[in-house]
Amino acid sequence: MKRRKFLQNASLTGIGVAVGASVLAKNTTENFNTKTVTEATNTPAIFPIVITTWNIPNATNKAGELLDQGKSAIDAIEQGCMVEEKDPSNQTVGKGGRPDRDGNVTLDACIMDKNGNYGSVVYLQNIVHAISVARKVMEETPHVIMAGKGAEQFAVSEGFKRENLLTEESKKAWEKWIKTSNYQPIINIENHDTIGMLAIDKNGDISGGCTTSGLAYKMAGRVGDSPIIGSGLFIDNEIGGATATGLGEEVLKTVGSFLIVELMRQGKTPQQACEEAIHRIVSKPNSNYKNFQVGYIAINKKGETGYYSIHEHFSASIYKDGKNENYKSDFHNKS
Ligand code: ASP
């Protein structure tokens, strides 16, 4: 992953790394201290703002530009996520996503709006824009989650086109993998990539979304954290939002995104809340966290942001004041 700017936060504890994006831009390295954090807290937020998992400038810019034009956070989230879903070179979401062990690309996605409404699709096949189907579930049905064939039929009835999501590149990689079929239910720290996105629009309203093809070569039928409310994503327009990437099973077991929002409700900064959520995972008895990655991003109502992961190589992108920057995340496992 290309990273244009690094945030040095390794030595900070507790309150140390809760900063609004405008402050991040100014305090990327040595002059980061408690005083600037206080200033950050007291600086009125300038909206709009977008934060995403990973270095996905096209998607982050798309969402940010729509917000700059006055579009709602929910529209920006959907269209931002769609940028990655339709990009076949991104092998972790939408078209070109890596398949399950049977060679089927199956998508999980969810979206949540300022009113606490939520829609998701799980195990969706043959439809590129899982995030848009999730939005349709939220807005056009009395339900919140739709799965598999039913979700696909619903998408088609809403005008989505069926198409094969398995690209030649992903097919070749899968064919190579089946020669050994060496699947371990853990992930290499680089072998994952849910696109998670949180946005605050000009009205100060928050929405969020996430979309993924899940773990490569997962068992057929496996569902991860991403489409599950409170795990892969949670938004409370009074407080803030959070979303996750990494080994979904661990996020699910700790209901990570809901946890982060509730910690912010109790007064923690987004950064402190992300760190606490990672701490819950790594401090479990017999946790084998050295073998898997989880990363969180969060935003609060003031537009302050946070991000943290178990291992190095996680990053977050922030769009603010008309531009997108990518920031390396601090992480737990320094050994
Ligand atoms: N969290 C996703 C899942 O478990 C995968 C990922 O982020 O790579 O399905």
Short mmCIF file of all heavy atoms in Angstrom, two decimals, residues 1-37:
data_model
loop_
_atom_site.label_atom_id
_atom_site.label_comp_id
_atom_site.label_asym_id
_atom_site.label_seq_id
_atom_site.Cartn_x
_atom_site.Cartn_y
_atom_site.Cartn_z
N MET A 1 0.83 -1.20 0.00
CA MET A 1 0.00 0.00 0.00
C MET A 1 0.87 1.25 0.00
O MET A 1 1.80 1.35 0.79
CB MET A 1 -0.83 0.03 1.30
CG MET A 1 -1.86 -1.02 1.35
SD MET A 1 -3.46 -0.29 1.09
CE MET A 1 -4.34 -1.76 0.63
N LYS A 2 0.54 2.19 -0.86
CA LYS A 2 1.31 3.43 -0.87
C LYS A 2 0.84 4.31 0.28
O LYS A 2 -0.33 4.45 0.53
CB LYS A 2 1.06 4.17 -2.18
CG LYS A 2 1.95 3.67 -3.29
CD LYS A 2 2.12 4.73 -4.34
CE LYS A 2 0.76 5.20 -4.82
NZ LYS A 2 0.75 5.86 -6.08
N ARG A 3 1.74 4.88 0.98
CA ARG A 3 1.35 5.80 2.04
C ARG A 3 2.09 7.10 1.85
O ARG A 3 3.30 7.14 1.84
CB ARG A 3 1.68 5.22 3.40
CG ARG A 3 0.87 4.00 3.67
CD ARG A 3 1.19 3.40 5.00
NE ARG A 3 0.47 2.17 5.10
CZ ARG A 3 0.92 1.02 4.62
NH1 ARG A 3 2.07 0.95 4.04
NH2 ARG A 3 0.19 -0.06 4.74
N ARG A 4 1.34 8.17 1.71
CA ARG A 4 1.99 9.45 1.42
C ARG A 4 2.42 10.17 2.69
O ARG A 4 3.29 11.01 2.68
CB ARG A 4 1.05 10.33 0.62
CG ARG A 4 0.70 9.73 -0.73
CD ARG A 4 0.41 10.80 -1.73
NE ARG A 4 -0.60 11.72 -1.24
CZ ARG A 4 -1.88 11.59 -1.52
NH1 ARG A 4 -2.30 10.60 -2.25
NH2 ARG A 4 -2.75 12.45 -1.06
N LYS A 5 1.80 9.86 3.78
CA LYS A 5 2.09 10.63 4.99
C LYS A 5 1.96 9.71 6.19
O LYS A 5 1.03 8.95 6.29
CB LYS A 5 1.06 11.74 5.09
CG LYS A 5 1.50 12.87 5.95
CD LYS A 5 0.59 14.03 5.67
CE LYS A 5 1.33 15.33 5.73
NZ LYS A 5 0.52 16.44 5.29
N PHE A 6 2.89 9.81 7.09
CA PHE A 6 2.83 8.94 8.25
C PHE A 6 2.50 9.74 9.50
O PHE A 6 3.03 10.83 9.72
CB PHE A 6 4.18 8.25 8.46
CG PHE A 6 4.50 7.24 7.41
CD1 PHE A 6 5.76 6.69 7.35
CD2 PHE A 6 3.55 6.83 6.49
CE1 PHE A 6 6.06 5.76 6.38
CE2 PHE A 6 3.85 5.91 5.53
CZ PHE A 6 5.12 5.37 5.46
N LEU A 7 1.66 9.18 10.31
CA LEU A 7 1.37 9.78 11.60
C LEU A 7 2.19 9.06 12.64
O LEU A 7 2.03 7.87 12.82
CB LEU A 7 -0.12 9.64 11.94
CG LEU A 7 -0.51 9.99 13.36
CD1 LEU A 7 -0.27 11.47 13.61
CD2 LEU A 7 -1.94 9.63 13.61
N GLN A 8 3.06 9.78 13.28
CA GLN A 8 3.86 9.14 14.31
C GLN A 8 3.08 9.17 15.61
O GLN A 8 2.88 10.22 16.19
CB GLN A 8 5.18 9.87 14.51
CG GLN A 8 6.02 9.18 15.56
CD GLN A 8 7.16 10.03 16.03
OE1 GLN A 8 7.23 11.20 15.73
NE2 GLN A 8 8.04 9.43 16.80
N ASN A 9 2.64 8.01 16.04
CA ASN A 9 1.90 8.00 17.31
C ASN A 9 2.34 6.84 18.18
O ASN A 9 1.71 6.54 19.18
CB ASN A 9 0.39 7.96 17.06
CG ASN A 9 -0.01 6.88 16.10
OD1 ASN A 9 0.81 6.01 15.79
ND2 ASN A 9 -1.24 6.89 15.65
N ALA A 10 3.45 6.22 17.82
CA ALA A 10 3.85 5.01 18.51
C ALA A 10 4.06 5.22 20.00
O ALA A 10 3.77 4.35 20.81
CB ALA A 10 5.12 4.46 17.89
N SER A 11 4.57 6.38 20.39
CA SER A 11 4.92 6.56 21.78
C SER A 11 3.75 7.09 22.61
O SER A 11 3.87 7.32 23.79
CB SER A 11 6.09 7.53 21.90
OG SER A 11 5.68 8.77 21.40
N LEU A 12 2.64 7.32 21.98
CA LEU A 12 1.56 7.95 22.69
C LEU A 12 0.67 6.94 23.39
O LEU A 12 0.47 5.84 22.93
CB LEU A 12 0.71 8.76 21.71
CG LEU A 12 1.49 9.86 21.00
CD1 LEU A 12 0.64 10.46 19.91
CD2 LEU A 12 1.92 10.91 21.99
N THR A 13 0.15 7.34 24.49
CA THR A 13 -0.77 6.46 25.21
C THR A 13 -2.07 7.20 25.41
O THR A 13 -2.16 8.40 25.23
CB THR A 13 -0.22 6.10 26.59
OG1 THR A 13 0.02 7.32 27.29
CG2 THR A 13 1.05 5.30 26.49
N GLY A 14 -3.07 6.46 25.86
CA GLY A 14 -4.33 7.07 26.30
C GLY A 14 -4.84 8.16 25.39
O GLY A 14 -5.25 7.92 24.27
N ILE A 15 -4.79 9.38 25.89
CA ILE A 15 -5.39 10.50 25.15
C ILE A 15 -4.58 10.91 23.94
O ILE A 15 -4.99 11.78 23.19
CB ILE A 15 -5.52 11.74 26.06
CG1 ILE A 15 -4.15 12.17 26.57
CG2 ILE A 15 -6.50 11.49 27.18
CD1 ILE A 15 -4.14 13.55 27.18
N GLY A 16 -3.43 10.29 23.76
CA GLY A 16 -2.45 10.87 22.85
C GLY A 16 -2.83 11.07 21.41
O GLY A 16 -2.29 11.95 20.77
N VAL A 17 -3.69 10.26 20.83
CA VAL A 17 -3.78 10.30 19.38
C VAL A 17 -5.18 10.62 18.87
O VAL A 17 -5.53 10.25 17.77
CB VAL A 17 -3.27 8.98 18.78
CG1 VAL A 17 -1.76 8.98 18.78
CG2 VAL A 17 -3.80 7.81 19.53
N ALA A 18 -5.93 11.33 19.66
CA ALA A 18 -7.26 11.71 19.19
C ALA A 18 -7.17 13.06 18.53
O ALA A 18 -6.97 14.06 19.18
CB ALA A 18 -8.22 11.79 20.36
N VAL A 19 -7.30 13.08 17.24
CA VAL A 19 -7.13 14.33 16.54
C VAL A 19 -8.11 14.47 15.40
O VAL A 19 -8.48 13.50 14.77
CB VAL A 19 -5.70 14.47 15.98
CG1 VAL A 19 -4.71 14.66 17.09
CG2 VAL A 19 -5.34 13.27 15.16
N GLY A 20 -8.52 15.70 15.14
CA GLY A 20 -9.31 15.96 13.95
C GLY A 20 -8.38 15.94 12.76
O GLY A 20 -7.18 16.12 12.89
N ALA A 21 -8.98 15.75 11.59
CA ALA A 21 -8.14 15.59 10.40
C ALA A 21 -7.32 16.84 10.11
O ALA A 21 -6.19 16.75 9.66
CB ALA A 21 -9.02 15.25 9.20
N SER A 22 -7.89 18.02 10.39
CA SER A 22 -7.12 19.23 10.10
C SER A 22 -5.89 19.28 10.97
O SER A 22 -4.85 19.77 10.57
CB SER A 22 -7.98 20.46 10.33
OG SER A 22 -8.45 20.47 11.65
N VAL A 23 -6.01 18.76 12.18
CA VAL A 23 -4.85 18.74 13.07
C VAL A 23 -3.88 17.66 12.64
O VAL A 23 -2.67 17.83 12.68
CB VAL A 23 -5.32 18.53 14.52
CG1 VAL A 23 -4.13 18.40 15.44
CG2 VAL A 23 -6.20 19.69 14.94
N LEU A 24 -4.41 16.54 12.17
CA LEU A 24 -3.53 15.49 11.64
C LEU A 24 -2.63 16.06 10.55
O LEU A 24 -1.45 15.78 10.50
CB LEU A 24 -4.37 14.37 11.01
CG LEU A 24 -4.89 13.31 11.93
CD1 LEU A 24 -5.81 12.40 11.15
CD2 LEU A 24 -3.77 12.53 12.55
N ALA A 25 -3.24 16.85 9.70
CA ALA A 25 -2.47 17.38 8.59
C ALA A 25 -1.32 18.24 9.09
O ALA A 25 -0.25 18.25 8.52
CB ALA A 25 -3.39 18.20 7.68
N LYS A 26 -1.54 18.94 10.20
CA LYS A 26 -0.50 19.83 10.72
C LYS A 26 0.50 19.10 11.59
O LYS A 26 1.65 19.45 11.67
CB LYS A 26 -1.16 20.94 11.55
CG LYS A 26 -1.72 22.06 10.71
CD LYS A 26 -2.26 23.17 11.58
CE LYS A 26 -3.76 23.19 11.52
NZ LYS A 26 -4.42 23.72 12.64
N ASN A 27 0.01 18.10 12.33
CA ASN A 27 0.86 17.48 13.34
C ASN A 27 1.16 16.04 12.98
O ASN A 27 0.74 15.12 13.65
CB ASN A 27 0.17 17.52 14.71
CG ASN A 27 -0.03 18.94 15.15
OD1 ASN A 27 0.92 19.60 15.55
ND2 ASN A 27 -1.26 19.41 15.07
N THR A 28 1.83 15.85 11.91
CA THR A 28 2.06 14.49 11.48
C THR A 28 3.20 13.82 12.24
O THR A 28 3.28 12.62 12.28
CB THR A 28 2.40 14.45 9.98
OG1 THR A 28 3.42 15.39 9.75
CG2 THR A 28 1.18 14.79 9.16
N THR A 29 4.10 14.61 12.84
CA THR A 29 5.24 13.95 13.46
C THR A 29 5.57 14.52 14.82
O THR A 29 4.77 14.42 15.74
CB THR A 29 6.47 14.01 12.54
OG1 THR A 29 6.70 15.36 12.17
CG2 THR A 29 6.26 13.17 11.29
N GLU A 30 6.75 15.14 14.91
CA GLU A 30 7.36 15.40 16.21
C GLU A 30 6.59 16.36 17.11
O GLU A 30 6.67 16.27 18.33
CB GLU A 30 8.82 15.87 16.03
CG GLU A 30 9.03 17.18 15.28
CD GLU A 30 8.79 17.00 13.79
OE1 GLU A 30 8.89 15.87 13.30
OE2 GLU A 30 8.47 17.98 13.14
N ASN A 31 5.83 17.28 16.56
CA ASN A 31 5.20 18.27 17.42
C ASN A 31 3.84 17.83 17.95
O ASN A 31 3.02 18.63 18.34
CB ASN A 31 5.06 19.61 16.67
CG ASN A 31 4.24 19.45 15.41
OD1 ASN A 31 4.02 18.33 14.98
ND2 ASN A 31 3.81 20.53 14.83
N PHE A 32 3.64 16.53 17.98
CA PHE A 32 2.37 16.01 18.47
C PHE A 32 2.43 15.88 19.99
O PHE A 32 3.23 15.16 20.53
CB PHE A 32 2.13 14.64 17.86
CG PHE A 32 0.71 14.24 17.91
CD1 PHE A 32 -0.11 14.42 16.80
CD2 PHE A 32 0.16 13.74 19.06
CE1 PHE A 32 -1.42 14.08 16.87
CE2 PHE A 32 -1.16 13.40 19.12
CZ PHE A 32 -1.95 13.57 18.02
N ASN A 33 1.62 16.63 20.69
CA ASN A 33 1.66 16.56 22.15
C ASN A 33 0.29 16.87 22.72
O ASN A 33 -0.66 17.13 22.00
CB ASN A 33 2.72 17.51 22.71
CG ASN A 33 2.45 18.94 22.23
OD1 ASN A 33 1.30 19.33 22.10
ND2 ASN A 33 3.51 19.68 21.96
N THR A 34 0.22 16.86 24.05
CA THR A 34 -1.09 17.03 24.69
C THR A 34 -1.71 18.37 24.34
O THR A 34 -2.91 18.48 24.19
CB THR A 34 -0.92 16.92 26.22
OG1 THR A 34 -0.21 15.73 26.46
CG2 THR A 34 -2.25 16.85 26.91
N LYS A 35 -0.86 19.39 24.22
CA LYS A 35 -1.38 20.71 23.91
C LYS A 35 -2.12 20.71 22.57
O LYS A 35 -3.23 21.22 22.46
CB LYS A 35 -0.23 21.71 23.86
CG LYS A 35 -0.67 23.14 23.66
CD LYS A 35 0.45 24.07 24.10
CE LYS A 35 0.14 25.51 23.69
NZ LYS A 35 0.56 25.78 22.32
N THR A 36 -1.51 20.07 21.58
CA THR A 36 -2.17 20.08 20.28
C THR A 36 -3.45 19.25 20.32
O THR A 36 -4.39 19.55 19.61
CB THR A 36 -1.25 19.56 19.16
OG1 THR A 36 -0.84 18.25 19.49
CG2 THR A 36 -0.07 20.45 18.94
N VAL A 37 -3.45 18.21 21.17
CA VAL A 37 -4.68 17.43 21.29
C VAL A 37 -5.79 18.31 21.87
O VAL A 37 -6.92 18.30 21.41
CB VAL A 37 -4.45 16.18 22.16
CG1 VAL A 37 -5.78 15.52 22.49
CG2 VAL A 37 -3.55 15.20 21.45
#
